[in-house]
Amino acid sequence: MEFLQPRSLPEALAVQAERPEAVPIAGGTDVMVELNFDRRRPEVVLDLTRVPELADWSRTDGAVRVGAGVTYTRMVAELAEDLPGLAIAARTVGSPQIRNRGTIGGNLGSASPAGDCHPPLLSIGAEVEVAAPGGARRIPIDEFFTGPKESALAPGELICAVHAPLATGPQQFAKVGTRNAMVIAVCSFGLALDPERGRVGTGIGSAGPTPLRAVAAESFLQEELSSEGLWESRGPLGAAAVGRFGELVAGAARPIDDVRGTAAYRVHALGVLARRTLTWAWDQYRTGRS
Ligand SMILES: Cc1cc2nc3c(=O)[nH]c(=O)nc-3n(C[C@H](O)[C@H](O)[C@H](O)COP(=O)(O)OP(=O)(O)OC[C@H]3O[C@@H](n4cnc5c(N)ncnc54)[C@H](O)[C@@H]3O)c2cc1C
């Protein structure tokens, strides 16, 4: 096996374009599992951990650019204010060891329907920056996932970063697993309230062939909040509206029965997670507590 270690992004992009069969490795927390179980035996591995351009995050014009190599530990420690939903999701990933190694770019690269970055990124309308030697392009997150473990990344391209707007309101994430840590989600849900734009965003994990948005639930809640003047009054949100939001989120799921849970359980649990996260987020908005 060839192990290539580029020291800059242009060098990494050139190698990936010349050797599209090369398997990129960042934290290795998915790649090494595949190697250890002999599911994959790549001839060429492209180590991205020495590429400085992927390693950092920055703030620009009301948005955040998170380099593909930023780890969960850093998302928890450094992004809780700017991207709170992503930071909450990062806190639930694996164990300290996995959070120290695992990256946002690797989560997107694996494109698992259960990846924990995906629901918060869907809920905030993030964009994935990918590049090849000829230039970069941005893929809206809801066009990025094309099938189970498949994405819109073209052969020879690398994921460079994620772009997302700075939070203007509360964001929440919750997941159900068979225990509290070191499990793949049975289902998960991310919610973002954006009072500046009067927008509600959602993301569903592990309950469909790809991560999904609950578009009808978003429209319903946006309409409810604006027609009742609740963004301005910060008044209580009625139980009927919270219940309807939960039903619409559950209705957007496209789950299957598998070893982790039945489709029926996932639909039920998503309704509960949606009601719970909405109650938390609205309470935060009303009281100004984060
Ligand atoms: C014990 C354990 C617990 C886990 N728990 C969770 C969990 O709770 N939630 C969760 O979501 N995941 C979990 N995972 C899965 C894994 O940790 C995450 O998917 C992580 O984000 C992968 O990141 P990485 O940097 O380690 O990726 P790697 O393993 O290095 O790469 C993953 C994939 O992405 C590709 N890739 C990496 N970087 C790029 C790039 N810049 N451009 C293009 N392709 C790229 C690789 O080729 C590979 O296909 C767990 C894994 C283990 C082993």
Side-chain angles (χ1 to χ4, degrees), residues 16 22-34 40 46 48-49 54 68-72 75 89-90 92-95 98-99 101-112 114-118 130 153 157-161 175 181-185:
Q16 187 68 52
V23 173
I25 187 167
T29 59
D30 281 326
V31 171
M32 289 311 297
V33 173
E34 295 197 324
R40 205 171 190 185
L46 179 66
L48 299 176
T49 58
L54 302 179
V70 171
T71 62
Y72 293 106
M75 290 179 237
T92 74
V93 169
S95 60
I98 297 296
R99 291 195 290 274
R101 296 290 311 171
T103 63
I104 191 167
N107 210 221
L108 289 163
S110 292
S112 160
D116 284 324
C117 290
H118 312 332
V130 303
L153 190 69
E157 282 182 328
L158 288 175
I159 300 167
C160 295
K175 79 180 180 191
M182 297 288 276
V183 282
I184 303 173

Side-chain angles (χ1 to χ4, degrees), residues 227-247:
S227 64
E228 300 293 320
L230 291 173
W231 289 118
E232 295 75 26
S233 72
R234 299 185 188 234
L237 192 56
V242 176
R244 182 70 187 136
F245 180 71
E247 281 169 15

Side-chain angles (χ1 to χ4, degrees), residues 27-261:
T29 59
D30 281 326
V31 171
M32 289 311 297
V33 173
E34 295 197 324
L35 291 184
N36 287 342
F37 282 101
D38 229 355
R39 290 187 203 129
R40 205 171 190 185
R41 206 35 60 191
E43 279 177 16
V44 190
V45 174
L46 179 66
D47 176 23
L48 299 176
T49 58
R50 315 274 166 110
V51 177
E53 294 93 326
L54 302 179
D56 248 316
W57 66 271
S58 56
R59 227 176 261 144
T60 36
D61 284 344
V64 190
R65 180 185 187 276
V66 186
V70 171
T71 62
Y72 293 106
T73 298
R74 290 191 61 195
M75 290 179 237
V76 173
E78 298 167 31
L79 292 172
E81 215 161 285
D82 291 349
L83 304 175
L86 185 66
I88 296 170
R91 207 172 289 131
T92 74
V93 169
S95 60
Q97 294 88 337
I98 297 296
R99 291 195 290 274
N100 283 340
R101 296 290 311 171
T103 63
I104 191 167
N107 210 221
L108 289 163
S110 292
S112 160
D116 284 324
C117 290
H118 312 332
L121 294 180
L122 280 164
S123 75
I124 55 179
E127 288 182 332
V128 184
E129 178 190 325
V130 303
R137 65 186 177 116
R138 287 198 194 185
I139 307 172
I141 188 77
D142 48 7
E143 293 169 21
F144 184 77
F145 305 104
T146 53
K149 301 198 173 181
E150 282 170 15
S151 76
L153 190 69
E157 282 182 328
L158 288 175
I159 300 167
C160 295
V162 171
H163 296 258
L166 286 173
T168 68
Q171 298 178 358
Q172 282 294 344
F173 172 84
K175 79 180 180 191
V176 174
T178 45
R179 55 183 184 177
N180 273 345
M182 297 288 276
V183 282
I184 303 173
V186 174
C187 63
S188 60
F189 183 68
L191 172 69
L193 299 182
D194 182 347
E196 270 184 18
R197 299 173 189 85
R199 185 180 171 273
V200 173
T202 60
I204 293 173
S206 224
T210 64
L212 302 164
R213 275 174 60 200
V215 177
E218 292 173 2
S219 309
F220 163 77
L221 189 57
Q222 273 166 206
E223 174 58 25
E224 186 74 16
L225 295 175
S226 64
S227 64
E228 300 293 320
L230 291 173
W231 289 118
E232 295 75 26
S233 72
R234 299 185 188 234
L237 192 56
V242 176
R244 182 70 187 136
F245 180 71
E247 281 169 15
L248 290 169
V249 169
R254 289 191 282 135
I256 52 167
D257 293 337
D258 68 13
V259 286
R260 281 174 282 136

